[in-house]
């Protein structure tokens, strides 16, 4: 899962760089408006790439999942207030 997300992230960021470079290398020679439009599209890509790269997959472990150590899980649950300790 992680390798696939990383690959998609780098493809999106490569596309972003390609849009910026092509916009001001040769597209501006034909149309400045088109070059600006390419830059606006390229400006939207990095946040989308970050969201894709940080998305939780169905098999990914999340921060609040049980660790498998009963003592540690009990301690964290007590700190989080999930289970009240019975005295």
């Amino acid at each position: 899962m992680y390798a696939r997300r990383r690959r998609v992230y780098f493809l999106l960021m490569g596309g972003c760089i390609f849009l910026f470079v092509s916009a001001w290398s040769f597209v501006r020679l034909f149309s400045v408006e088109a070059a600006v439009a390419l830059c606006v599209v390229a400006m939207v890509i990095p946040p989308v790439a970050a969201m894709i790269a940080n998305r939780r997959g169905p098999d990914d472990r999340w921060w609040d999942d049980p660790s498998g150590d009963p003592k540690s899980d009990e301690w964290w649950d007590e700190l989080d207030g999930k289970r009240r300790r019975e005295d």
Side-chain angles (χ1 to χ4, degrees):
M1 290 298 257
Y2 178 71
R4 184 180 56 82
R5 286 190 315 223
R6 189 177 58 200
R7 186 174 32 252
V8 170
Y9 174 79
F10 284 119
L11 283 172
L12 284 171
M13 293 307 289
C16 177
I17 291 171
F18 174 76
L19 285 175
F20 271 122
V21 171
S22 66
W24 297 113
S25 295
F26 59 87
V27 174
R28 70 175 170 85
L29 299 174
F30 303 107
S31 172
V32 173
E33 293 83 9
V36 170
L38 284 176
C39 285
V40 169
V41 171
M43 182 178 65
V44 174
I45 292 175
V48 172
M51 285 186 272
I52 289 173
N54 292 316
R55 183 180 54 200
R56 178 183 176 198
D59 297 332
D60 292 344
R61 182 172 150 70
W62 198 238
W63 67 274
D64 60 349
D65 283 345
S67 66
D69 179 17
K71 186 78 170 168
S72 175
D73 292 339
E74 179 184 338
W75 185 76
W76 281 108
D77 287 344
E78 181 181 335
L79 283 177
D80 291 338
K82 289 183 180 176
R83 284 186 245 164
R84 299 285 180 218
R85 187 173 177 194
E86 298 174 13
D87 292 322

